[in-house]
Amino acid sequence: QVQMVESGGGLVQAGGSLRLSCAASGRTYIMGWFRQAPGKEREFVAGINYGGDRTLYADSVKGRFTISRDNAKNTMYLQMNSLKPEDTAVYSCAARRSWATVVSRDNRYYGSWGQGTQVTVSS
């Protein structure tokens, strides 16, 4: 089991930016970000393959968020710009350790999860 640790969450005003990081303790192939707001189901935010050339975004964040990774550091990032109050949630990173090339929105596709980091966007 690979350990995943998120960082970079915090409080920001609407229109602002934050950069989340997710450090993994070992190699992972597909990585993704999910979020869960109070009273809502966990939802997919963005995903990326090992090579970084395949990415997938939720429609709600497309054009505002950018996912990237540094395999030398076993770290994934989520640059979040033009933040909105509806982006407020606990953001968790997830990873698939077995070889795969498909980036999935399905949380069952990922076997390793971080504890999450809170992102709060004030209006």
Side-chain angles (χ1 to χ4, degrees), residues 1-74:
Q1 188 81 356
V2 64
Q3 304 301 313
M4 316 277 287
V5 179
E6 303 95 338
S7 61
L11 173 64
V12 65
Q13 288 189 331
S17 298
L18 281 175
R19 189 193 194 204
L20 304 183
S21 298
C22 171
S25 61
R27 175 180 286 190
T28 60
Y29 291 100
I30 307 298
M31 299 185 78
W33 288 98
F34 289 77
R35 67 186 182 186
Q36 186 167 20
K40 294 188 176 182
E41 296 288 320
R42 181 165 58 188
E43 65 174 352
F44 172 82
V45 176
I48 189 168
N49 70 333
Y50 183 78
D53 59 328
R54 296 183 185 179
T55 58
L56 186 65
Y57 295 93
D59 289 344
S60 59
V61 307
K62 202 172 294 184
R64 300 187 297 122
F65 291 10
T66 302
I67 190 171
S68 62
R69 65 189 295 169
D70 183 340
N71 292 332
K73 297 180 180 179
N74 291 326

Side-chain angles (χ1 to χ4, degrees), residues 53-106:
D53 59 328
R54 296 183 185 179
T55 58
L56 186 65
Y57 295 93
D59 289 344
S60 59
V61 307
K62 202 172 294 184
R64 300 187 297 122
F65 291 10
T66 302
I67 190 171
S68 62
R69 65 189 295 169
D70 183 340
N71 292 332
K73 297 180 180 179
N74 291 326
T75 300
M76 172 180 64
Y77 306 96
L78 186 68
Q79 178 66 44
M80 306 186 294
N81 298 328
S82 302
L83 282 161
K84 305 175 181 179
E86 51 263 43
D87 293 318
T88 295
V90 174
Y91 285 69
S92 299
C93 62
R96 183 180 176 91
R97 293 202 67 195
S98 57
W99 171 251
T101 58
V102 174
V103 181
S104 175
R105 303 172 186 270
D106 189 343

